[in-house]
């Protein structure tokens, strides 16, 4: 049986998720035993006509992005959205919070029509996405788990519970009690609660759980001294595409 | 010679971000030779507006995955300047250690994973896994070690966590620092020596091209300036950081979603070679010895040698990192809280050397600690005009070579600058409505 062919692409993004893959210094050679990387513009010149698994980082934000992702979807048996920008829009999605014309004017002034742009979309708004690895940057351990599962033909186990669960398991002191803001109660676990473990707050970079009690979270944050406006604004930093309250 | 030449490289490989190389020569007259930045605009300045000071660094970090630490530190310095937040000596030392780690990581990634394939005539580092396994293993170990610095001191190498306004959210343990120092001194130096020996044999494959330009970098008289200093120009001497706008002079060009910059000439260069040229004397003895081994002396005007200057800097960064850890261990780690009590609300500027060159962040805060204005000038953006000027000189010089050879040399030229294209397009016009 031949090794699965994988290809890696990036759209509107910071390439941090891709870099995370090149950061598998110890595991990289093991990974290369399992799969063949047939296209990866950031690290290789090679191109491929089709692949078994396409890993795609970044959001869709220009007309040419739309065309390009359709091409990739056609050539790939499985498509994995890597990182929050690809999965749900992430920080890129903040651009949609103001009218497009106003944002373009701000940035380019009277040259705004020189550079085309469309409202930011996650990959799933344009093509069918088979699997997701959330996080900003994507969580490396989750990526490895997904890759191994796909290669072995097993269903990956991706958590859909709050970061608080992982934080408690790590026996962290709750950062809310230390006076900090925190979105742990409604953010998707899978990162090992890395930010609270570093005495920083959960910024919601992995997006919300599938059934978040957004009103409840705002009430709770109010008790800790954060006004509704302030809490919403902070929630929107990464999760603007998922926040339902205005 | 009445040659016609048409080159279009779509989405150059082995660089960060999306750029096209375009050359158009008709009847021996060079009509166009340029790097077209096609990366989608990111609109980060729109994201910074109306954000509070706790969030600025987390946002700007997301401009780029490779330079995230650099953006964070520069952003924090700008915020601290604007809000009158003093930081402790320990914080400065830890940040310098992080910058050494980030420079080490980025330079190794670039030199070994993105450029070395060209010197060995392969399309990527992956074929080398079979033919040069030891080299790949050493390169991977070096990269992992560099990332360990970031993971230890800032909680995560990509999009750091512990770096906050006024200091750190959490501090390293003494035992962790001792282990890191040991690894740097043993495995780090051994692997680097091995890599250097291999690279020395490949230097002959580096194209020989010279174009003197203006070199701009951060400068300190007492140390190789990466964290703090003035702006130094090889043409015009030193400027205070507050003059950064009049030194960079950004302007829009139609063939690039990123702006260009110029100072005394039509273009200038930033990055490892600029730092090397401007601050050679301040490199560690080990770094200077390596430069000599590579026959790299200051000033050097071959942009392809930027990659070699990066490797020289890796030695310096390891040397400095070990020194800093020694100082920290000597003094002991003080369990201090980050200073987050603003003493003023105004405009502040941060300037730091990130791997690709000098980076500027400027913010204006209102009384509620909310950003009203933001501006960033990115090193890669500052290099774009210089790349175009290099291409315009290079193409006629090598015109007798085959189209494949010319294309390859142009690709290598752009790669040599280690461009971070996503970074350069995030921020464009800096007009603000008041």
């Amino acid at each position: 049986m031949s090794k699965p062919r994988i290809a890696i692409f990036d759209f509107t993004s910071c390439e941090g998720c891709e870099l995370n893959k090149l950061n598998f210094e110890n595991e990289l050679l093991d990974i290369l035993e399992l799969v063949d990387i047939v296209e990866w513009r950031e690290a290789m010149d090679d191109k491929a006509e089709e692949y078994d698994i396409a890993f795609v980082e970044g959001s869709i934000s220009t007309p040419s992005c739309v065309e390009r992702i359709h091409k990739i979807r056609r050539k790939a048996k499985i498509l994995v959205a890597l990182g929050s920008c690809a999965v749900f829009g992430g920080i890129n999605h903040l651009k949609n919070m103001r009218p497009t014309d106003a944002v373009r004017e701000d940035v380019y002034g009277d040259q705004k029509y020189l550079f085309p742009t469309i409202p930011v979309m996650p990959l799933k708004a344009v093509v069918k996405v088979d699997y997701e690895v959330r996080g900003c940057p994507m969580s490396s351990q989750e990526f490895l788990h997904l890759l191994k599962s796909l290669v072995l033909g097993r269903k990956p186990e991706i958590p859909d519970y709050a970061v608080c669960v992982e934080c408690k398991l790590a026996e962290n002191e709750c950062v809310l009690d230390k006076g900090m803001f925190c979105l742990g109660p409604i953010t998707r676990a899978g990162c090992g609660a890395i930010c609270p473990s570093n005495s920083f707050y959960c910024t919601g970079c992995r997006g919300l759980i599938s059934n978040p009690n957004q009103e409840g979270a705002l009430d709770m944050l109010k008790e800790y001294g954060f006004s509704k406006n302030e809490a919403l604004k902070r929630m929107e930093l990464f999760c603007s595409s998922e926040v339902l309250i205005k | 010679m009445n040659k016609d030449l048409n080159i279009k490289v779509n989405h150059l490989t082995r660089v960060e971000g999306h750029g096209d190389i375009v050359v158009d020569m008709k009847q021996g007259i060079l009509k166009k030779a340029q790097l077209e930045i096609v990366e989608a605009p990111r609109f980060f300045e729109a994201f910074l507006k109306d954000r509070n000071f706790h969030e600025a660094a987390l946002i700007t970090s997301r401009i780029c995955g490779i330079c995230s630490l650099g953006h964070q530190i520069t952003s924090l310095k700008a915020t601290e300047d604007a809000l009158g937040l003093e930081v402790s000596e320990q914080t400065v030392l830890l940040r310098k250690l992080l910058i050494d780690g980030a420079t080490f990581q980025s330079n190794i990634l670039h030199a070994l994973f993105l450029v070395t394939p060209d010197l060995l005539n392969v399309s990527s580092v992956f074929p080398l896994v079979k033919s040069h396994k030891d080299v790949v293993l050493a390169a991977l170990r070096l990269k992992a070690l560099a990332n360990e610095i970031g993971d230890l001191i800032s909680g995560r190498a990509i999009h750091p966590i512990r770096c906050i306004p006024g200091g750190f959210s959490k501090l390293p343990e003494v035992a962790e620092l001792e282990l890191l120092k040991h690894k740097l001194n043993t495995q780090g130096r051994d692997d680097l020596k091995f890599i250097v020996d291999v690279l020395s044999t490949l230097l002959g494959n580096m194209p020989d091209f010279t174009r003197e330009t203006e070199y701009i970098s951060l400068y300190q008289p007492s140390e190789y300036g990466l964290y703090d200093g003035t702006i130094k120009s090889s043409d015009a001497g030193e400027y205070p950081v507050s003059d950064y706008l009049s030194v960079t002079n950004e302007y829009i060009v139609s063939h690039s979603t990123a702006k260009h910059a110029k100072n005394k000439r039509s273009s200038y260069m930033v990055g490892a070679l600029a730092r090397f040229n401007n601050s050679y004397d301040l490199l560690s003895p080990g770094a200077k010895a390596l430069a000599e081994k590579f026959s790299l002396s200051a000033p050097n005007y071959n942009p392809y040698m930027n990659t070699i200057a990066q490797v020289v800097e890796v030695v310096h960064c390891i040397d400095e990192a070990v020194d800093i850890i020694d100082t920290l261990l000597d003094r002991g780690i003080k369990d201090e809280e980050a200073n987050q009590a603003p003493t003023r609300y105004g405009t502040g500027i941060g300037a730091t050397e990130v791997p690709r060159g000098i980076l500027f962040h400027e913010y204006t805060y209102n009384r509620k600690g909310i950003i009203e204005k933001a501006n960033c000038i990115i090193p890669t953006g500052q290099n774009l005009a210089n790349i175009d000027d290099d291409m315009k000189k290079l193409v006629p010089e090598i015109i007798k070579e085959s189209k494949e050879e010319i294309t390859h040399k142009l690709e290598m030229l752009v790669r040599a600058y280690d461009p971070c294209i996503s970074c350069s397009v995030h921020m464009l016009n800096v007009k603000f409505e008041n």
Side-chain angles (χ1 to χ4, degrees):
Chain A
M1 202 185 83
S2 61
K3 295 196 272 183
R5 297 157 301 174
I6 73 172
I8 302 168
F9 302 96
D10 65 291
F11 283 77
T12 304
S13 73
C14 77
E15 306 209 3
C17 295
E18 272 177 274
L19 181 67
N20 232 4
K21 283 187 297 296
L22 271 178
N23 279 357
F24 287 125
E25 291 102 1
N26 302 318
E27 294 93 340
L28 186 63
L29 295 187
D30 294 336
I31 293 176
L32 291 175
E33 298 280 314
L34 287 178
V35 299
D36 270 332
I37 307 183
V38 299
E39 185 168 340
W40 186 4
R41 188 202 55 80
E42 201 182 8
M44 302 161 69
D45 297 344
D46 315 58
K47 304 244 190 302
E49 274 315 304
E50 57 172 30
Y51 8 88
D52 296 306
I53 311 173
F55 291 100
V56 184
E57 171 193 338
S59 314
I60 305 295
S61 78
T62 67
S64 63
C65 284
V66 176
E67 220 185 288
R68 200 154 64 93
I69 189 67
H70 277 300
K71 264 199 202 137
I72 293 168
R73 177 70 267 195
R74 276 197 291 273
K75 297 190 197 180
K77 296 210 180 75
I78 296 174
L79 187 99
V80 180
L82 278 189
S84 295
C85 292
V87 174
F88 60 91
I91 201 170
N92 280 335
H93 194 269
L94 273 181
K95 188 189 98 175
N96 297 6
M97 304 304 283
R98 294 169 64 204
T100 306
D101 257 16
V103 177
R104 289 171 85 176
E105 178 88 39
D106 244 8
V107 179
Y108 299 96
D110 52 16
Q111 312 240 10
K112 65 186 178 208
Y113 295 117
L114 261 184
F115 307 114
T117 190
I118 56 179
V120 164
M121 292 184 281
L123 301 185
K124 66 187 173 197
V126 183
V127 293
K128 175 167 174 286
V129 171
D130 300 299
Y131 296 95
E132 304 176 335
V133 183
R134 290 164 174 258
C136 183
M138 69 163 190
S139 313
S140 326
Q141 292 311 310
E142 199 170 70
F143 170 80
L144 274 181
H145 171 77
L146 182 84
L147 179 64
K148 277 190 259 182
S149 303
L150 290 177
V151 168
L152 292 171
R154 289 179 52 186
K155 185 165 185 266
E157 289 162 30
I158 307 290
D160 186 12
Y161 43 82
V163 168
C164 289
V165 174
E166 291 185 324
C167 211
K168 286 286 171 255
L169 283 172
E171 298 184 9
N172 293 329
E173 188 189 340
C174 179
V175 301
L176 284 163
D177 289 334
K178 291 201 245 181
M180 285 188 245
F181 184 78
C182 191
L183 289 170
I186 49 172
T187 302
R188 251 185 231 242
C191 53
I194 187 175
C195 292
S197 302
N198 277 287
S199 305
F200 194 68
Y201 65 93
C202 172
T203 58
C205 81
R206 285 178 53 84
L208 305 181
I209 45 182
S210 61
N211 63 336
N213 183 348
Q214 297 189 24
E215 287 286 359
L218 288 177
D219 286 339
M220 181 267 303
L221 287 163
K222 192 140 188 206
E223 281 176 33
Y224 279 100
F226 299 98
S227 71
K228 178 177 171 188
N229 277 343
E230 197 185 342
L232 267 179
K233 194 135 176 78
R234 296 234 211 176
M235 231 195 257
E236 280 171 359
L237 184 57
F238 288 97
C239 300
S240 61
S241 67
E242 299 184 321
V243 171
L244 300 170
I245 306 167
K246 295 296 155 203
Chain B
M1 343 182 11
N2 287 347
K3 185 161 176 170
D4 276 2
L5 180 68
N6 239 289
I7 294 178
K8 173 97 197 264
V9 175
N10 230 0
H11 286 191
L12 178 62
T13 59
R14 288 184 275 121
V15 294
E16 192 288 336
H18 301 101
D20 296 344
I21 295 176
V22 177
V23 170
D24 187 16
M25 180 181 254
K26 291 233 163 36
Q27 302 280 316
I29 305 206
L30 188 61
K31 295 211 177 284
K32 207 188 257 194
Q34 59 200 28
L35 178 63
E36 302 191 347
I37 300 301
V38 296
E39 183 78 23
R42 318 262 310 286
F43 298 101
F44 263 80
E45 71 282 13
F47 305 163
L48 276 173
K49 240 175 165 182
D50 297 338
R51 288 279 153 192
N52 72 66
F53 73 89
H54 298 284
E55 293 179 306
L58 349 152
I59 297 172
T60 56
S61 155
R62 270 76 187 177
I63 292 171
C64 180
I66 310 185
C67 334
S68 55
L69 186 277
H71 276 293
Q72 280 209 353
I73 304 271
T74 313
S75 173
L76 290 171
K77 285 174 66 184
T79 293
E80 286 156 1
D81 189 27
L83 302 181
L85 296 171
E86 298 272 333
V87 297
S88 69
E89 262 190 77
Q90 177 175 277
T91 292
V92 171
L93 283 172
L94 288 167
R95 285 179 180 177
K96 285 183 175 175
L97 180 53
L98 281 171
I99 290 180
D100 284 334
T103 309
F104 171 10
Q105 196 275 138
S106 178
N107 287 5
I108 286 289
L109 168 66
H110 179 246
L112 301 183
F113 292 83
L114 306 184
V115 170
T116 294
D118 283 328
L119 301 177
L120 283 168
N121 250 309
V122 290
S123 61
S124 78
V125 75
F126 298 111
L128 300 180
V129 173
K130 295 222 163 59
S131 61
H132 294 71
K133 187 164 186 181
D134 284 342
V135 177
V136 176
L137 283 175
L140 288 172
R141 278 195 301 264
L142 278 170
K143 206 163 150 318
L145 182 57
N147 276 325
E148 264 188 65
I149 301 177
D151 285 334
L152 172 62
I153 309 293
S154 69
R156 185 172 57 196
I158 302 177
H159 301 323
I161 302 169
R162 296 185 183 185
C163 304
I164 58 178
F168 283 84
S169 66
K170 193 171 176 184
L171 295 162
E173 310 272 317
V174 161
E176 294 173 322
L177 286 171
E178 283 172 343
L179 179 58
L180 179 61
K181 173 184 160 185
H182 173 74
K183 283 190 185 177
L184 286 168
N185 272 334
T186 54
Q187 160 203 330
R189 291 194 198 278
D190 289 342
D191 281 334
L192 190 56
K193 180 169 185 320
F194 175 60
I195 293 287
V196 158
D197 287 342
V198 171
L199 276 177
S200 318
T201 65
L202 300 176
L203 274 182
N205 298 345
M206 200 68 93
D208 189 13
F209 167 69
T210 305
R211 187 179 77 86
E212 187 185 337
T213 183
E214 182 181 8
Y215 299 91
I216 293 190
S217 62
L218 202 61
Y219 179 76
Q220 275 233 305
S222 52
E223 60 183 39
Y224 195 72
L226 295 176
Y227 179 72
D228 237 346
T230 55
I231 307 172
K232 182 172 178 182
S233 151
S234 56
D235 280 346
E238 291 175 58
Y239 302 84
V241 162
S242 48
D243 280 357
Y244 82 98
L245 281 174
S246 59
V247 175
T248 53
N249 302 301
E250 281 196 316
Y251 58 98
I252 295 182
V253 299
S254 61
H255 66 269
S256 161
T257 47
K259 280 178 166 178
H260 282 203
K262 61 175 187 260
N263 191 36
K264 293 295 173 199
R265 308 184 191 209
S266 60
S267 60
Y268 62 84
M269 187 174 188
V270 299
L273 191 62
R275 295 189 287 262
F276 180 84
N277 283 349
N278 287 344
S279 301
Y280 169 81
D281 287 330
L282 299 157
L283 282 168
S284 70
K288 284 183 184 161
L290 181 57
E292 210 184 307
K293 181 175 170 136
F294 282 146
S295 305
L296 178 69
S297 61
N300 181 291
Y301 304 135
N302 178 355
Y304 291 95
M305 292 303 273
N306 189 49
T307 304
I308 301 301
Q310 287 182 328
V311 180
V312 166
E313 283 189 330
V314 170
V315 175
H316 176 87
C317 288
I318 293 181
D319 288 340
E320 193 177 74
V322 168
D323 274 346
I324 291 176
I325 296 176
D326 273 337
T327 307
L328 289 167
L329 290 173
D330 256 349
R331 299 180 185 181
I333 302 293
K334 284 187 218 76
D335 191 12
E336 33 180 56
E337 293 284 316
N339 172 14
Q340 301 210 321
T343 57
R344 69 183 204 102
Y345 292 97
T347 300
I349 305 175
T352 323
E353 281 287 338
V354 296
R356 290 158 190 79
I358 192 167
L359 170 67
F360 304 97
H361 280 221
E362 179 178 10
Y363 307 142
T364 301
Y365 283 93
N366 69 18
R367 288 254 172 75
K368 299 190 190 149
I370 303 286
I371 293 180
E372 290 187 334
K373 285 189 195 188
N375 186 15
C376 299
I377 303 208
I378 309 301
T380 294
Q382 296 171 73
N383 271 335
L384 294 175
N386 208 59
I387 292 174
D388 284 0
D389 283 347
D390 275 352
M391 286 194 199
K392 292 180 173 65
K393 181 170 192 274
L394 178 66
V395 170
E397 283 180 11
I398 57 174
I399 199 64
K400 294 215 173 80
E401 301 185 24
S402 71
K403 182 172 169 177
E404 284 68 35
E405 251 312 304
I406 298 178
T407 304
H408 191 225
K409 286 213 170 114
L410 287 169
E411 292 175 331
M412 285 180 68
L413 177 68
V414 178
R415 282 187 197 121
Y417 279 80
D418 191 8
C420 192
I421 295 177
S422 304
C423 266
S424 67
V425 300
H426 82 295
M427 277 210 168
L428 298 173
N429 196 338
V430 295
K431 249 184 14 191
F432 303 102
E433 328 124 27
N434 280 334

